[in-house]
Amino acid sequence: EDKVVQSPLSLVVHEGDTVTLNCSYEVTNFRSLLWYKQEKKAPTFLFMLTSSGIEKKSGRLSSILDKKELFSILNITATQTGDSAIYLCAVEGEGAQKLVFGQGTRLTINP
Amino acid sequence: EPEVTQTPSHQVTQMGQEVILRCVPISNHLYFYWYRQILGQKVEFLVSFYNNEISEKSEIFDDQFSVERPDGSNFTLKIRSTKLEDSAMYFCASSGDRGPAFFGQGTRLTVV
């Protein structure tokens, strides 16, 4: 059964800090790993990773995948209060038409 | 920017009643999904839909659930006889070929 485990479950930091969120997974015939940000309601797409070692970057956010060790990290530098959210990691297997989500990391940025 | 839209944003229904949750996926997307999130729990897959038929469904998606694409734009989830444990946030999502899924804002379903 496909499985995603995120850590930590909760993280509180001060504005300006850098954070690293972790996601480990088990999936049959890996196809992709995705990161989403969930504020009040909908998960908002951040990154889709399919290849090991290639960093994806968007502003202060970046993510990388290690397909050998079966994990991904999401980095946020110079955090702002607007980064406070639940960050979700999900995986999709080849041929599967579904995402399997982790339980999320609740990130709180204090001013 | 194109987005997935869902209606209603909140629905309260009596146990045993039928509900229909509606979604308009992104217009050039081919794959449509329903997920749900019970308060405080993980986002869970319910069903995927492609080429006018269900392509995959989870154990949660039993005979009480059905999906339909009644026209070229809408995608609906029907729950025939709601139970208290169906109370959750229901998310519709859509994706293009091998692209990421984009989610709607959700419908909060409360069964009383």
Side-chain angles (χ1 to χ4, degrees):
Chain A
E1 186 181 324
D2 298 345
K3 190 175 168 185
V4 176
V5 177
Q6 293 185 243
S7 64
L9 293 181
S10 180
L11 186 58
V12 181
V13 300
H14 289 293
E15 204 166 19
D17 288 351
T18 292
V19 296
T20 298
L21 310 184
N22 304 294
C23 174
S24 63
Y25 64 88
E26 296 170 24
V27 64
T28 304
N29 295 327
F30 175 89
R31 179 175 129 185
S32 60
L33 182 145
L34 295 91
W35 285 97
Y36 289 87
K37 178 182 182 183
Q38 187 175 29
E39 294 178 89
K40 293 209 168 40
K41 288 187 179 179
T44 305
F45 171 71
L46 295 175
F47 298 113
M48 181 174 177
L49 302 147
T50 56
S51 302
S52 271
I54 299 172
E55 186 184 50
K56 294 249 178 152
K57 223 171 146 54
S58 175
R60 297 176 294 102
L61 277 66
S62 63
S63 182
I64 198 159
L65 174 67
D66 185 329
K67 286 165 74 171
K68 185 178 172 193
E69 300 298 329
L70 307 183
F71 78 89
S72 174
I73 59 172
L74 175 69
N75 277 322
I76 310 175
T77 60
T79 51
Q80 301 170 357
T81 55
D83 295 326
S84 295
I86 296 173
Y87 288 84
L88 301 173
C89 176
V91 293
E92 187 174 26
E94 192 66 58
Q97 298 293 331
K98 67 177 183 184
L99 294 173
V100 175
F101 281 86
Q103 67 275 56
T105 293
R106 181 181 292 277
L107 177 64
T108 304
I109 311 294
N110 287 328
Chain B
E1 185 175 321
E3 59 180 19
V4 176
T5 56
Q6 290 186 242
T7 54
S9 56
H10 191 188
Q11 172 121 24
V12 181
T13 189
Q14 296 264 349
M15 197 166 54
Q17 294 296 304
E18 175 183 287
V19 295
I20 298 176
L21 310 184
R22 302 180 192 279
C23 169
V24 179
I26 294 172
S27 63
N28 61 347
H29 282 180
L30 302 173
Y31 299 87
F32 314 118
Y33 314 87
W34 285 100
Y35 290 81
R36 79 172 185 190
Q37 188 174 32
I38 295 170
L39 192 62
Q41 296 187 23
K42 292 184 188 186
V43 176
E44 301 175 288
F45 168 76
L46 292 177
V47 66
S48 58
F49 193 85
Y50 170 72
N51 202 25
N52 283 321
E53 60 182 28
I54 290 173
S55 46
E56 191 159 352
K57 60 183 181 179
S58 71
E59 289 175 357
I60 304 167
F61 194 88
D62 61 21
D63 292 343
Q64 294 298 314
F65 292 87
S66 62
V67 289
E68 196 176 36
R69 188 151 161 85
D71 54 42
S73 58
N74 291 286
F75 180 51
T76 62
L77 174 70
K78 183 194 291 187
I79 309 175
R80 279 189 193 80
S81 178
T82 49
K83 305 190 265 291
L84 293 176
E85 54 265 37
D86 294 327
S87 295
M89 182 73 89
Y90 287 80
F91 292 111
C92 175
S94 69
S95 67
D97 192 25
R98 302 185 81 80
F102 291 89
F103 285 75
Q105 288 297 306
T107 293
R108 179 168 296 287
L109 178 66
T110 303
V111 183
V112 296

